[in-house]
Amino acid sequence: MNASSLDKIESAPVRKFIRPALPQTGRIDLFNHYPDGPMWAGDGNRSLEVRVSFDRLYAYKPEVLLSLAAVDSAREQNLRYDLRVKDVDTNGFTIHFATWSDTRISLATVSWFAFGTAQ
């Protein structure tokens, strides 16, 4: 980097408008399928999706993290599940939950954390 490049960097205008960070959290019961329901059936591929709306909007698409907060399943089979976040936008996101084979899940609860720039 030469001296003229450094002069340009030092004389560049500084923007003073900075939007605050916006963390948001939540917990949602995805389903309770005991004693009847597709996740408890224990047969083949099963999935569901739940849309979550943010309480406050973001200026740009935020980062979203999911964790399984609670699960109740039959002990006779392996616990198999796939938990994903999809379709994230400034208004919310979709939780995708799936299981397969003979796994029987009666209920699942998810905790989520979103972090981005406030609108």
Side-chain angles (χ1 to χ4, degrees):
M1 189 174 275
N2 60 36
S4 65
S5 297
L6 288 175
D7 291 337
K8 288 178 185 176
I9 292 172
E10 290 175 2
S11 65
V14 176
R15 295 181 186 241
K16 295 190 180 188
F17 179 76
I18 298 176
R19 293 181 174 164
L22 177 58
Q24 295 186 70
T25 63
R27 185 177 167 115
I28 184 168
D29 295 328
L30 291 182
F31 59 86
N32 186 344
H33 286 176
Y34 183 83
D36 296 320
M39 294 299 182
W40 188 250
D43 185 30
N45 296 334
R46 291 148 285 148
S47 65
L48 60 81
E49 293 187 345
V50 176
R51 182 74 183 167
V52 176
S53 296
F54 297 126
D55 289 337
R56 294 183 53 202
L57 301 182
Y58 287 95
Y60 311 100
K61 183 172 94 169
E63 296 295 324
V64 178
L65 303 172
L66 301 177
S67 71
L68 191 60
V71 65
D72 189 8
S73 64
R75 65 179 176 199
E76 295 83 15
Q77 293 84 19
N78 290 329
L79 176 59
R80 302 172 188 91
Y81 69 90
D82 180 27
L83 178 64
R84 298 177 190 215
V85 63
K86 58 187 272 192
D87 302 326
V88 179
D89 58 35
T90 59
N91 300 310
F93 61 95
T94 300
I95 298 171
H96 174 86
F97 186 94
T99 190
W100 56 94
S101 190
D102 64 348
T103 295
R104 293 171 45 178
I105 302 174
S106 63
L107 69 85
T109 301
V110 171
S111 292
W112 59 269
F113 174 77
F115 187 81
T117 304
Q119 189 174 41

